[in-house]
Amino acid sequence: MSNTKLNIPESVKAKHPDLVTLILETKSMDDDERQYWFNILPIMKDEQVEKLRNILETEKNKIAQ
């Protein structure tokens, strides 16, 4: 998967590196959806970020099983 066309803000890479990886690796999003999350992450509340992280981790774990 190429993320060359995705614009990931440096602040997002620095604050949420694990979430960046989860978003890039998820099969349930296309690149437009990934870009949306990268754009909105800087203004999301901590609890919203945690919910997104939990959803993506759960999906990753279910796929791995």
Side-chain angles (χ1 to χ4, degrees), residues 1-39:
M1 166 186 342
S2 172
N3 65 349
T4 52
K5 65 182 176 179
L6 294 174
N7 177 18
I8 306 170
E10 289 302 319
S11 62
V12 171
K13 289 180 191 176
K15 189 172 181 183
H16 306 291
D18 61 321
L19 203 45
V20 169
T21 302
L22 287 169
I23 291 170
L24 290 174
E25 292 178 350
T26 186
K27 306 281 190 252
S28 64
M29 293 183 196
D30 61 24
D31 282 346
D32 288 340
E33 292 168 307
R34 289 182 181 92
Q35 187 63 63
Y36 166 81
W37 287 110
F38 291 139
N39 291 345

